[in-house]
Each structure stands twice: as structure tokens, then as C-alpha cells.
Amino acid sequence: MSQAQQSYETLVQSLRLLAAEYAVQVEALPNFVHVPDEIASTYSESFLLAEAIQEAGLINQEQLAQLRELDEVLACMSEDETLWTDEALKHGADWSAVRTRASDLLSLLGEQQRTPELNWLTYVPGGDTTGA
């Protein structure tokens, strides 16, 4: 698998995580992470290679534009700390809209929504973690 294909697969998995229902998101991540932050940063980090993925011909310009818009939505959300709680992730309209947008993007890419496979991620607990 080429680097561009690996980057594409990472992007798809991050979209699956964003599109998933709250219970799936929580189950997919270690119990010591801040789930809303981890979901957003996983997407933002995978999005960094979107232009290279597009240049490799794996996504088109419209798909790239939609991916960029999703990244911008998450960036705007980061300005409101009330959106970054488990309760907001579970019940909030903003996160519901992100799930819908991510699901629509998966369809636009010709990918199915299913449980995300995050075996490519590495997690390191912080020093002040409790209950890990």
C-alpha cells in the first residue's frame, strides 16, 4: 500500500470515528483520553495529508473542499469550550451536525459507515490521569 493509500485509509477511519454514535466513539478510544478532543484531533491530523491524497488522485477537488469545510467546522467549535464535554458530544446539536457531515463525506468518498479501526493510533496517558 502506498503512502497516499495509507493516508487515505487513515482519513476514512477518522471520518468513521467522527460519524459514529457516541457509544461507538467512547468504545473505540481508551478510557483515559478526553473523547471529544481525541475525535477532533484524530480527524485534524489525518486531514493534514488531504492535499497529498488529492494530488495522488485518490480524492477529487470537491471531496477535498468538503473535507476542508469539516476541518474548519471543528476549528470553529474549538473556540467554544462548552462543546468539548462528553455531554455535548453525546447530546449536542453541533456534534450531531458533525456526525451527519462526516457520514455524508463517507458517502461522497464511496465508503461505508462502520466501526472505525484505529489500530494505527498510539495513546500515551498523561501524568495526572486517574482511573487508567
Side-chain angles (χ1 to χ4, degrees):
M1 184 180 297
S2 73
Q3 181 63 44
Q5 289 169 320
Q6 287 177 329
S7 297
Y8 174 81
E9 184 59 27
T10 298
L11 184 63
V12 168
Q13 295 302 331
S14 70
L15 283 169
R16 286 180 174 146
L17 181 61
L18 271 175
E21 294 299 320
Y22 173 79
V24 174
Q25 292 171 325
V26 170
E27 182 68 27
L29 298 168
N31 64 0
F32 59 81
V33 302
H34 185 265
V35 177
D37 284 347
E38 195 65 39
I39 291 167
S41 66
T42 297
Y43 176 74
S44 292
E45 289 171 17
S46 67
F47 173 74
L48 292 174
L49 297 172
E51 287 187 22
I53 296 168
Q54 191 263 330
E55 289 170 9
L58 298 175
I59 62 174
N60 62 39
Q61 196 63 36
E62 177 192 352
Q63 292 163 331
L64 178 61
Q66 295 290 323
L67 291 163
R68 183 174 289 115
E69 284 182 22
L70 177 56
D71 192 57
E72 291 169 1
V73 166
L74 290 168
C76 287
M77 286 174 60
S78 70
E79 296 173 13
D80 183 351
E81 66 185 39
T82 66
L83 299 177
W84 297 90
T85 65
D86 285 343
E87 188 66 22
L89 177 64
K90 187 174 185 178
H91 298 293
D94 291 281
W95 282 105
S96 179
V98 165
R99 285 185 182 95
T100 299
R101 187 180 287 256
S103 181
D104 290 348
L105 270 162
L106 286 168
S107 295
L108 185 63
L109 294 170
E111 300 288 344
Q112 295 180 354
Q113 174 58 31
R114 56 179 179 241
T115 303
E117 296 177 21
L118 305 177
N119 55 344
W120 46 275
L121 288 173
T122 303
Y123 304 96
V124 180
D128 61 352
T129 302
T130 59

Short mmCIF file of all heavy atoms in Angstrom, two decimals, residues 14 16-44 74 77 83-91 95 98-99 116 118 121 123:
data_model
loop_
_atom_site.label_atom_id
_atom_site.label_comp_id
_atom_site.label_asym_id
_atom_site.label_seq_id
_atom_site.Cartn_x
_atom_site.Cartn_y
_atom_site.Cartn_z
N SER A 14 -10.78 8.06 10.38
CA SER A 14 -11.07 9.22 11.25
C SER A 14 -12.48 9.75 10.98
O SER A 14 -13.17 10.19 11.90
CB SER A 14 -10.02 10.31 11.08
OG SER A 14 -10.10 10.93 9.83
N ARG A 16 -14.96 7.81 10.01
CA ARG A 16 -15.84 6.82 10.63
C ARG A 16 -15.97 7.10 12.12
O ARG A 16 -17.05 6.95 12.69
CB ARG A 16 -15.32 5.41 10.37
CG ARG A 16 -15.56 4.97 8.95
CD ARG A 16 -15.04 3.57 8.68
NE ARG A 16 -15.44 3.18 7.33
CZ ARG A 16 -14.72 2.41 6.54
NH1 ARG A 16 -13.56 1.91 6.96
NH2 ARG A 16 -15.15 2.11 5.33
N LEU A 17 -14.87 7.49 12.76
CA LEU A 17 -14.92 7.83 14.18
C LEU A 17 -15.80 9.06 14.40
O LEU A 17 -16.64 9.07 15.31
CB LEU A 17 -13.50 8.08 14.71
CG LEU A 17 -13.38 8.44 16.19
CD1 LEU A 17 -13.93 7.32 17.08
CD2 LEU A 17 -11.94 8.76 16.54
N LEU A 18 -15.64 10.08 13.58
CA LEU A 18 -16.48 11.28 13.70
C LEU A 18 -17.95 10.99 13.45
O LEU A 18 -18.82 11.55 14.10
CB LEU A 18 -16.02 12.34 12.70
CG LEU A 18 -14.94 13.31 13.13
CD1 LEU A 18 -14.54 14.19 11.96
CD2 LEU A 18 -15.39 14.17 14.29
N ALA A 19 -18.24 10.12 12.50
CA ALA A 19 -19.62 9.84 12.11
C ALA A 19 -20.33 8.89 13.08
O ALA A 19 -21.56 8.83 13.10
CB ALA A 19 -19.66 9.25 10.70
N ALA A 20 -19.56 8.18 13.89
CA ALA A 20 -20.12 7.16 14.77
C ALA A 20 -20.98 7.76 15.88
O ALA A 20 -20.79 8.91 16.28
CB ALA A 20 -19.00 6.33 15.38
N GLU A 21 -21.90 6.96 16.36
CA GLU A 21 -22.70 7.34 17.53
C GLU A 21 -21.78 7.43 18.75
O GLU A 21 -20.71 6.82 18.80
CB GLU A 21 -23.81 6.32 17.78
CG GLU A 21 -24.86 6.28 16.69
CD GLU A 21 -25.59 7.61 16.52
OE1 GLU A 21 -25.89 8.25 17.55
OE2 GLU A 21 -25.84 8.00 15.38
N TYR A 22 -22.22 8.17 19.74
CA TYR A 22 -21.44 8.42 20.94
C TYR A 22 -20.90 7.12 21.55
O TYR A 22 -19.71 7.03 21.88
CB TYR A 22 -22.28 9.19 21.95
CG TYR A 22 -21.61 9.36 23.30
CD1 TYR A 22 -20.63 10.33 23.48
CD2 TYR A 22 -21.95 8.55 24.38
CE1 TYR A 22 -20.00 10.50 24.70
CE2 TYR A 22 -21.33 8.71 25.60
CZ TYR A 22 -20.35 9.67 25.76
OH TYR A 22 -19.73 9.83 26.97
N ALA A 23 -21.74 6.12 21.72
CA ALA A 23 -21.32 4.87 22.38
C ALA A 23 -20.18 4.21 21.60
O ALA A 23 -19.25 3.66 22.20
CB ALA A 23 -22.50 3.92 22.53
N VAL A 24 -20.24 4.25 20.29
CA VAL A 24 -19.18 3.67 19.46
C VAL A 24 -17.89 4.48 19.60
O VAL A 24 -16.79 3.92 19.68
CB VAL A 24 -19.64 3.60 17.98
CG1 VAL A 24 -18.52 3.14 17.07
CG2 VAL A 24 -20.85 2.69 17.84
N GLN A 25 -18.03 5.79 19.64
CA GLN A 25 -16.86 6.65 19.80
C GLN A 25 -16.15 6.35 21.12
O GLN A 25 -14.92 6.19 21.15
CB GLN A 25 -17.28 8.12 19.75
CG GLN A 25 -17.76 8.56 18.39
CD GLN A 25 -18.37 9.94 18.39
OE1 GLN A 25 -19.01 10.35 19.36
NE2 GLN A 25 -18.17 10.68 17.31
N VAL A 26 -16.90 6.27 22.19
CA VAL A 26 -16.32 6.00 23.51
C VAL A 26 -15.66 4.62 23.54
O VAL A 26 -14.56 4.46 24.07
CB VAL A 26 -17.39 6.14 24.62
CG1 VAL A 26 -16.87 5.65 25.96
CG2 VAL A 26 -17.85 7.60 24.71
N GLU A 27 -16.32 3.65 22.96
CA GLU A 27 -15.80 2.28 22.92
C GLU A 27 -14.52 2.17 22.10
O GLU A 27 -13.64 1.37 22.42
CB GLU A 27 -16.87 1.34 22.36
CG GLU A 27 -16.46 -0.11 22.31
CD GLU A 27 -16.31 -0.76 23.69
OE1 GLU A 27 -16.95 -0.32 24.65
OE2 GLU A 27 -15.52 -1.72 23.79
N ALA A 28 -14.39 2.99 21.08
CA ALA A 28 -13.25 2.92 20.17
C ALA A 28 -11.97 3.51 20.77
O ALA A 28 -10.87 3.23 20.28
CB ALA A 28 -13.57 3.65 18.87
N LEU A 29 -12.11 4.30 21.83
CA LEU A 29 -10.97 5.02 22.40
C LEU A 29 -10.65 4.53 23.81
O LEU A 29 -11.54 4.07 24.52
CB LEU A 29 -11.27 6.52 22.42
CG LEU A 29 -11.49 7.15 21.05
CD1 LEU A 29 -12.06 8.56 21.19
CD2 LEU A 29 -10.18 7.17 20.26
N PRO A 30 -9.39 4.66 24.21
CA PRO A 30 -9.03 4.27 25.59
C PRO A 30 -9.78 5.13 26.61
O PRO A 30 -10.12 6.27 26.33
CB PRO A 30 -7.53 4.55 25.67
CG PRO A 30 -7.05 4.71 24.27
CD PRO A 30 -8.24 5.14 23.46
N ASN A 31 -9.99 4.58 27.80
CA ASN A 31 -10.78 5.29 28.80
C ASN A 31 -10.05 6.48 29.41
O ASN A 31 -10.65 7.27 30.12
CB ASN A 31 -11.27 4.34 29.89
CG ASN A 31 -10.14 3.72 30.68
OD1 ASN A 31 -8.96 3.97 30.44
ND2 ASN A 31 -10.49 2.87 31.63
N PHE A 32 -8.76 6.64 29.13
CA PHE A 32 -8.02 7.76 29.74
C PHE A 32 -7.94 8.99 28.84
O PHE A 32 -7.40 10.00 29.24
CB PHE A 32 -6.61 7.32 30.16
CG PHE A 32 -5.76 6.78 29.04
CD1 PHE A 32 -5.10 7.64 28.18
CD2 PHE A 32 -5.62 5.42 28.86
CE1 PHE A 32 -4.31 7.15 27.14
CE2 PHE A 32 -4.84 4.92 27.83
CZ PHE A 32 -4.18 5.78 26.97
N VAL A 33 -8.49 8.93 27.62
CA VAL A 33 -8.43 10.10 26.74
C VAL A 33 -9.66 10.99 26.93
O VAL A 33 -10.70 10.53 27.39
CB VAL A 33 -8.29 9.72 25.24
CG1 VAL A 33 -7.06 8.87 25.01
CG2 VAL A 33 -9.54 9.04 24.71
N HIS A 34 -9.51 12.24 26.56
CA HIS A 34 -10.65 13.16 26.52
C HIS A 34 -11.30 12.94 25.16
O HIS A 34 -10.76 13.35 24.12
CB HIS A 34 -10.17 14.61 26.70
CG HIS A 34 -11.29 15.58 26.78
ND1 HIS A 34 -11.75 16.27 25.69
CD2 HIS A 34 -12.07 15.95 27.83
CE1 HIS A 34 -12.76 17.04 26.06
NE2 HIS A 34 -12.96 16.87 27.35
N VAL A 35 -12.43 12.25 25.15
CA VAL A 35 -13.02 11.74 23.92
C VAL A 35 -13.29 12.83 22.88
O VAL A 35 -12.88 12.68 21.72
CB VAL A 35 -14.28 10.89 24.22
CG1 VAL A 35 -14.94 10.41 22.93
CG2 VAL A 35 -13.90 9.69 25.10
N PRO A 36 -13.96 13.93 23.20
CA PRO A 36 -14.20 14.94 22.15
C PRO A 36 -12.90 15.46 21.53
O PRO A 36 -12.80 15.57 20.30
CB PRO A 36 -14.95 16.06 22.89
CG PRO A 36 -15.58 15.39 24.07
CD PRO A 36 -14.60 14.32 24.47
N ASP A 37 -11.90 15.74 22.36
CA ASP A 37 -10.62 16.23 21.83
C ASP A 37 -9.96 15.19 20.94
O ASP A 37 -9.42 15.51 19.88
CB ASP A 37 -9.66 16.56 22.98
CG ASP A 37 -9.98 17.87 23.68
OD1 ASP A 37 -10.79 18.65 23.14
OD2 ASP A 37 -9.42 18.10 24.75
N GLU A 38 -9.99 13.94 21.38
CA GLU A 38 -9.32 12.88 20.63
C GLU A 38 -9.99 12.66 19.28
O GLU A 38 -9.31 12.47 18.26
CB GLU A 38 -9.33 11.58 21.44
CG GLU A 38 -8.37 10.54 20.92
CD GLU A 38 -6.92 10.97 21.03
OE1 GLU A 38 -6.52 11.60 22.02
OE2 GLU A 38 -6.16 10.65 20.09
N ILE A 39 -11.30 12.71 19.24
CA ILE A 39 -12.03 12.54 17.98
C ILE A 39 -11.66 13.65 17.01
O ILE A 39 -11.36 13.40 15.84
CB ILE A 39 -13.55 12.50 18.24
CG1 ILE A 39 -13.93 11.24 18.99
CG2 ILE A 39 -14.34 12.62 16.94
CD1 ILE A 39 -15.32 11.25 19.55
N ALA A 40 -11.69 14.87 17.49
CA ALA A 40 -11.38 16.02 16.63
C ALA A 40 -9.92 16.02 16.19
O ALA A 40 -9.61 16.26 15.02
CB ALA A 40 -11.72 17.33 17.35
N SER A 41 -9.00 15.74 17.11
CA SER A 41 -7.59 15.77 16.74
C SER A 41 -7.23 14.63 15.81
O SER A 41 -6.39 14.80 14.92
CB SER A 41 -6.69 15.78 17.98
OG SER A 41 -6.79 14.59 18.69
N THR A 42 -7.88 13.48 15.96
CA THR A 42 -7.63 12.37 15.04
C THR A 42 -8.00 12.78 13.62
O THR A 42 -7.25 12.52 12.67
CB THR A 42 -8.44 11.13 15.48
OG1 THR A 42 -7.98 10.72 16.78
CG2 THR A 42 -8.28 9.98 14.50
N TYR A 43 -9.15 13.45 13.47
CA TYR A 43 -9.53 13.91 12.14
C TYR A 43 -8.58 15.00 11.64
O TYR A 43 -8.08 14.95 10.51
CB TYR A 43 -10.97 14.43 12.10
CG TYR A 43 -11.29 15.00 10.74
CD1 TYR A 43 -11.49 14.15 9.66
CD2 TYR A 43 -11.30 16.37 10.51
CE1 TYR A 43 -11.72 14.66 8.39
CE2 TYR A 43 -11.53 16.88 9.25
CZ TYR A 43 -11.73 16.01 8.20
OH TYR A 43 -11.95 16.52 6.94
N SER A 44 -8.32 15.99 12.47
CA SER A 44 -7.48 17.11 12.05
C SER A 44 -6.09 16.64 11.61
O SER A 44 -5.55 17.13 10.62
CB SER A 44 -7.36 18.15 13.17
OG SER A 44 -8.62 18.76 13.37
N LEU A 74 -14.78 22.05 12.86
CA LEU A 74 -14.18 21.62 14.12
C LEU A 74 -13.31 22.73 14.72
O LEU A 74 -13.31 22.93 15.94
CB LEU A 74 -13.37 20.34 13.91
CG LEU A 74 -14.20 19.10 13.62
CD1 LEU A 74 -13.32 17.96 13.14
CD2 LEU A 74 -15.01 18.68 14.84
N MET A 77 -15.60 25.19 16.31
CA MET A 77 -16.16 24.63 17.54
C MET A 77 -15.15 24.72 18.68
O MET A 77 -15.55 24.87 19.83
CB MET A 77 -16.56 23.16 17.33
CG MET A 77 -17.83 22.98 16.53
SD MET A 77 -18.19 21.24 16.14
CE MET A 77 -18.35 20.52 17.77
N LEU A 83 -18.60 23.05 24.12
CA LEU A 83 -18.86 21.99 23.13
C LEU A 83 -17.93 20.79 23.33
O LEU A 83 -18.11 19.77 22.66
CB LEU A 83 -18.68 22.54 21.71
CG LEU A 83 -19.61 23.67 21.31
CD1 LEU A 83 -19.26 24.17 19.92
CD2 LEU A 83 -21.06 23.22 21.38
N TRP A 84 -16.97 20.91 24.24
CA TRP A 84 -15.93 19.89 24.36
C TRP A 84 -16.08 19.06 25.63
O TRP A 84 -15.11 18.70 26.29
CB TRP A 84 -14.55 20.54 24.25
CG TRP A 84 -14.45 21.15 22.89
CD1 TRP A 84 -14.80 22.42 22.53
CD2 TRP A 84 -14.08 20.49 21.69
NE1 TRP A 84 -14.65 22.58 21.18
CE2 TRP A 84 -14.20 21.42 20.63
CE3 TRP A 84 -13.63 19.21 21.40
CZ2 TRP A 84 -13.91 21.09 19.31
CZ3 TRP A 84 -13.34 18.88 20.08
CH2 TRP A 84 -13.47 19.83 19.06
N THR A 85 -17.33 18.74 25.95
CA THR A 85 -17.62 17.86 27.08
C THR A 85 -18.23 16.57 26.55
O THR A 85 -18.73 16.53 25.41
CB THR A 85 -18.63 18.52 28.04
OG1 THR A 85 -19.89 18.68 27.36
CG2 THR A 85 -18.12 19.88 28.54
N ASP A 86 -18.20 15.53 27.37
CA ASP A 86 -18.83 14.28 26.96
C ASP A 86 -20.33 14.47 26.74
O ASP A 86 -20.91 13.89 25.82
CB ASP A 86 -18.58 13.18 27.99
CG ASP A 86 -17.15 12.65 27.93
OD1 ASP A 86 -16.46 12.88 26.92
OD2 ASP A 86 -16.72 12.00 28.90
N GLU A 87 -20.94 15.30 27.59
CA GLU A 87 -22.38 15.56 27.45
C GLU A 87 -22.69 16.24 26.12
O GLU A 87 -23.65 15.88 25.44
CB GLU A 87 -22.87 16.41 28.64
CG GLU A 87 -24.36 16.59 28.70
CD GLU A 87 -25.12 15.29 28.97
OE1 GLU A 87 -24.56 14.32 29.50
OE2 GLU A 87 -26.31 15.26 28.62
N ALA A 88 -21.88 17.23 25.74
CA ALA A 88 -22.08 17.91 24.46
C ALA A 88 -21.85 16.96 23.30
O ALA A 88 -22.59 16.98 22.31
CB ALA A 88 -21.16 19.12 24.35
N LEU A 89 -20.84 16.11 23.43
CA LEU A 89 -20.56 15.12 22.37
C LEU A 89 -21.73 14.16 22.22
O LEU A 89 -22.12 13.81 21.11
CB LEU A 89 -19.28 14.36 22.70
CG LEU A 89 -18.89 13.24 21.74
CD1 LEU A 89 -18.59 13.80 20.35
CD2 LEU A 89 -17.69 12.47 22.29
N LYS A 90 -22.30 13.77 23.34
CA LYS A 90 -23.40 12.79 23.33
C LYS A 90 -24.72 13.38 22.83
O LYS A 90 -25.43 12.74 22.05
CB LYS A 90 -23.58 12.22 24.74
CG LYS A 90 -24.56 11.08 24.83
CD LYS A 90 -24.55 10.50 26.23
CE LYS A 90 -25.43 9.27 26.32
NZ LYS A 90 -25.40 8.67 27.66
N HIS A 91 -25.04 14.60 23.27
CA HIS A 91 -26.37 15.15 23.01
C HIS A 91 -26.41 16.46 22.21
O HIS A 91 -27.49 16.91 21.83
CB HIS A 91 -27.11 15.40 24.34
CG HIS A 91 -27.34 14.17 25.14
ND1 HIS A 91 -28.17 13.16 24.74
CD2 HIS A 91 -26.81 13.78 26.34
CE1 HIS A 91 -28.17 12.20 25.65
NE2 HIS A 91 -27.35 12.54 26.62
N TRP A 95 -22.33 18.57 17.61
CA TRP A 95 -21.72 17.27 17.36
C TRP A 95 -22.62 16.40 16.47
O TRP A 95 -22.12 15.62 15.66
CB TRP A 95 -21.37 16.57 18.67
CG TRP A 95 -20.13 17.12 19.28
CD1 TRP A 95 -20.04 17.95 20.35
CD2 TRP A 95 -18.79 16.92 18.82
NE1 TRP A 95 -18.72 18.27 20.60
CE2 TRP A 95 -17.93 17.65 19.67
CE3 TRP A 95 -18.23 16.19 17.76
CZ2 TRP A 95 -16.56 17.66 19.51
CZ3 TRP A 95 -16.85 16.21 17.60
CH2 TRP A 95 -16.03 16.94 18.47
N VAL A 98 -21.81 17.48 13.07
CA VAL A 98 -20.51 16.93 12.67
C VAL A 98 -20.66 15.47 12.25
O VAL A 98 -20.11 15.05 11.23
CB VAL A 98 -19.47 17.09 13.80
CG1 VAL A 98 -18.24 16.22 13.56
CG2 VAL A 98 -19.07 18.54 13.95
N ARG A 99 -21.42 14.71 13.02
CA ARG A 99 -21.65 13.29 12.66
C ARG A 99 -22.31 13.19 11.29
O ARG A 99 -21.91 12.36 10.46
CB ARG A 99 -22.52 12.61 13.71
CG ARG A 99 -21.81 12.30 14.99
CD ARG A 99 -22.71 11.49 15.95
NE ARG A 99 -21.98 11.27 17.18
CZ ARG A 99 -22.07 12.05 18.26
NH1 ARG A 99 -22.89 13.09 18.28
NH2 ARG A 99 -21.36 11.78 19.33
N PRO A 116 -15.01 2.23 13.40
CA PRO A 116 -13.68 2.67 12.99
C PRO A 116 -12.60 1.70 13.49
O PRO A 116 -12.71 1.14 14.58
CB PRO A 116 -13.53 4.05 13.63
CG PRO A 116 -14.49 4.06 14.76
CD PRO A 116 -15.61 3.14 14.37
N LEU A 118 -8.91 1.80 14.56
CA LEU A 118 -7.95 2.83 14.98
C LEU A 118 -6.62 2.22 15.43
O LEU A 118 -5.88 2.82 16.20
CB LEU A 118 -8.54 3.67 16.11
CG LEU A 118 -9.90 4.32 15.80
CD1 LEU A 118 -10.42 5.06 17.00
CD2 LEU A 118 -9.80 5.24 14.59
N LEU A 121 -3.35 4.30 15.65
CA LEU A 121 -3.15 5.35 16.65
C LEU A 121 -2.39 4.82 17.87
O LEU A 121 -2.54 3.67 18.25
CB LEU A 121 -4.50 5.90 17.12
CG LEU A 121 -5.27 6.76 16.13
CD1 LEU A 121 -6.65 7.08 16.66
CD2 LEU A 121 -4.51 8.03 15.84
N TYR A 123 -1.67 5.91 21.94
CA TYR A 123 -2.13 6.76 23.03
C TYR A 123 -1.14 6.70 24.18
O TYR A 123 -0.65 5.63 24.52
CB TYR A 123 -3.50 6.32 23.54
CG TYR A 123 -4.54 6.26 22.45
CD1 TYR A 123 -4.83 5.05 21.81
CD2 TYR A 123 -5.22 7.38 22.05
CE1 TYR A 123 -5.78 4.99 20.81
CE2 TYR A 123 -6.17 7.33 21.04
CZ TYR A 123 -6.44 6.13 20.43
OH TYR A 123 -7.37 6.08 19.44
#
